[in-house]
Amino acid sequence: MRKFLALLLILSVLLGAVQNVSAQQSLAFAELYPADVSAFPKVSASLDVFDGRGIFASGLKPEAVTIYEDGQPLKVDSLVETAIPLQLVVAVNQGQPLDARDSTGASRFQRISQTLAEWAQKLPADLPDDFSLVSQAGPVINHANAADFIVGLNGFKPDFRAASPNLLSLAAAIDIVSAQTPQVGMKRAILLITPHSDDFNIAATLEPHLQRALQNHIRVFVWFVDLESAFKSTSAAAFGNLAAQTGGSMFTYSGIERFPDPEAYFSALRRVYALTYSSRLNAAGEHRLAAKINLSTGALDSPEQKFSVDVQPPNPFPLTNDIQITRRAPEDASFGAEVLLPAAQEIKIIIEFPDGHPRPLTRTTLYVDNAIMDENTAEPFDVFTWDISAYEKTGEHQIMVEAVDTLGLQKISMSVPVTVTVVQPLGGGLGLLARYRTPITFGAILLAGLILFLILLSGRLRAFSIRASKEARRAEADPLTQSVNETSAAPAEKNKKPRIVSKQTGSNSRAGKDAEALLMRLTSDGRVAAAAPIPLVEKEIVFGTDPVQCAQILDDPSISSVHARLRITDDGGYLLQDNNSVAGTWVNYDLVPREGCRLAHGDILHFGRLLYRFTLKTPPEISKPTITIQTIEE
């Protein structure tokens, strides 16, 4: 009989060893947490990697991890091991053995509480763990910090002698840590404080709890508190198996053993990898993401995660409204020379990313009349040089620009007309006159002045000769025989007082109107600019740079002379129409169609590269949600 019992003991030990090996093998796993695409095409995510012993695989290099994006392998740009808090639930399975006291009158549970409180006090404040405390009656403390956990633990004083051990506290602890963790990447752990169980079939009873813990990667650490004789019981073996298979461990305490340091359990669970990689996605929608990790013991594959991202090609358009190209001969060119300047024209463009994810460019191309005129494959991508040295006749040319980003997405702008005016130099006498018009002009002025001087001089000489002859004739006559005519001065007329005529001026200023809508100027990052808003009070407002044709002047190189029109419709709406402008008119980043676009409160308007927000004085009311309360009858 003794031999049979010994054989059974050996078989149970061997079976336990096989189970432990199997458990260790199953503890190896990798988990990739939801991706962050806010800095697309740079994508970041958190990664957990545990080896076959259930220990965090520390010290991995970026080359050990491969990202699979929609099945395509990509290299990891960075892989940084970072610290992260722990989610821990202390589950107390109440029973009489926890109230056994030593010679000082302290119970076993009081010793346990003191050990846990001293450990929690030493935890760093910058890495706050998430604590919970449960018993058979349910949660005592839920998701508390270390300080509150210590207070709750010291205040937890149930009647252990009146309680019967069961697995309700373990089930409640698994429920708490199976929910979404407060922070992405947090590890889950349970410290189960329990005496022995009288359940003969305790292993089968623990099995569903074990499977839930494995499914949610929950580590279960067991402090088995009882008489030393119970350490070899069936329930002790069952609880030890629960700890081993979930990656935890079991400590037996009869009241005299030295407690292990809880930090030795949990320090390895406060680590996670933060990785980044460069996405190659060029289509919007839902995509798949997974990671493959190469360890010294083999490769691990993480389960696939799904994420969504909006991807659109870059939108380029040229700034040509300020370009006035006139080719003519230089002022200092020699007569007869056929040199025309300028020989080249600079073309600037604007590149926008409608998806809100600015990213580097790989190429921009300038097309003139459907032929490549210039191309940039490095910075700057927004400036071109157009060679116009071959244009000798005035004509209109069509300009388009193309942009290609690092994802391979590309887009060509609409065709924009640009006129090149060529002024040919004059030939023959007219050409000579035009070339030397300045010295000729000065010479003509000097010649005219000389002629005028001679004319005035000859007139003075002639007047002097006539006066001399008259005086000679008067001297020949006898002055005594000359009749003297008395002249009587006519009485002076009385000065008449001038009549003062006053002109009455009146004021014809128009009374100000209370604008029902405004255009608020915005900066490029969407903030309100320091500029006065444009009140929309007229039946029709014309926008542009021509002060004769336009009521509202927009001073920017991207604005055409007559750029756009805003008309108040008969029903009180506001209709925006583009006037065939070069840089275009846009509403909410969509080009305004030929028939115009009706504006709504809060719309974003682009006149070329000027940004405005359309705002109504009385915004439309937003309908409030209706909440219906339904009573569920049990």
Side-chain angles (χ1 to χ4, degrees), residues 106 217 386 476 520 581:
H217 301 298
W386 177 14
E476 292 176 357
M520 304 292 295
S581 63

Side-chain angles (χ1 to χ4, degrees), residues 80 118 206 222 271 375 518 524 577:
V80 180
E118 291 176 353
L206 279 172
V222 179
R271 311 298 294 173
E375 190 170 72
L518 300 172
S524 59
Q577 294 178 307

Side-chain angles (χ1 to χ4, degrees), residues 308-537:
S308 298
V309 64
D310 181 22
V311 184
Q312 298 181 38
N315 184 27
F317 55 90
L319 298 176
T320 58
N321 60 303
D322 60 340
I323 297 179
Q324 301 293 333
I325 305 177
T326 301
R327 302 195 68 221
R328 64 175 73 243
E331 297 292 339
D332 56 351
S334 59
F335 178 70
E338 297 181 356
V339 178
L340 298 178
L341 295 179
Q345 176 65 45
E346 183 181 87
I347 301 293
K348 293 184 178 181
I349 66 172
I350 294 177
I351 303 170
E352 295 180 344
F353 288 87
D355 54 19
H357 301 301
R359 47 195 176 269
L361 300 173
T362 58
R363 176 175 60 85
T364 54
T365 306
L366 172 67
Y367 295 90
V368 178
D369 298 333
N370 295 321
I372 296 178
M373 186 58 62
D374 193 16
E375 190 170 72
N376 297 319
T377 57
E379 292 285 355
F381 287 100
D382 58 349
V383 179
F384 296 101
T385 300
W386 177 14
D387 182 7
I388 58 175
S389 59
Y391 298 131
E392 298 181 352
K393 294 182 179 180
T394 299
E396 184 179 89
H397 303 275
Q398 302 296 322
I399 290 181
M400 296 185 298
V401 291
E402 180 184 26
V404 183
D405 62 17
T406 53
L407 299 178
L409 296 175
Q410 62 185 52
K411 187 175 181 180
I412 299 180
S413 69
M414 294 183 298
S415 178
V416 177
V418 175
T419 300
V420 178
T421 303
V422 180
V423 180
Q424 293 288 354
L426 298 174
L430 293 177
L432 180 62
L433 181 62
R435 182 68 60 193
Y436 300 105
R437 60 180 177 273
T438 301
I440 292 176
T441 301
F442 278 107
I445 294 173
L446 291 175
L447 180 60
L450 180 60
I451 294 174
L452 180 60
F453 174 75
L454 294 177
I455 292 174
L456 293 176
L457 182 60
S458 62
R460 282 190 175 185
L461 293 175
R462 183 178 177 184
F464 177 76
S465 176
I466 295 174
R467 187 164 51 251
S469 62
K470 286 183 178 180
E471 290 179 354
R473 285 196 299 271
R474 190 179 298 128
E476 292 176 357
D478 185 5
L480 296 177
T481 62
Q482 300 298 321
S483 62
V484 179
N485 295 326
E486 293 183 359
T487 61
S488 59
E493 294 183 0
K494 294 182 179 181
N495 293 332
K496 294 183 180 180
K497 203 169 189 180
R499 185 164 58 99
I500 300 175
V501 180
S502 63
K503 294 184 179 180
Q504 198 173 23
T505 60
S507 176
N508 195 24
S509 61
R510 185 179 56 189
K513 295 184 179 179
D514 190 11
E516 295 295 331
L518 300 172
L519 291 183
M520 304 292 295
R521 178 70 182 275
L522 303 179
T523 61
S524 59
D525 57 356
R527 299 181 180 179
V528 177
I534 301 175
L536 307 180
V537 296

Side-chain angles (χ1 to χ4, degrees), residues 2-61:
R2 290 181 178 177
K3 292 183 178 179
F4 179 72
L5 293 176
L7 180 60
L8 288 178
L9 180 61
I10 294 173
L11 289 176
S12 63
V13 172
L14 292 176
L15 180 60
V18 171
Q19 289 178 343
N20 286 338
V21 172
S22 175
Q24 289 181 356
Q25 291 176 348
S26 65
L27 292 176
F29 76 95
E31 184 172 0
L32 188 65
Y33 296 100
D36 180 7
V37 297
S38 59
F40 186 86
K42 286 290 184 181
V43 179
S44 58
S46 296
L47 175 67
D48 261 337
V49 183
F50 288 86
D51 60 17
R53 298 170 297 169
I55 300 176
F56 183 78
S58 182
L60 292 179
K61 302 297 182 183

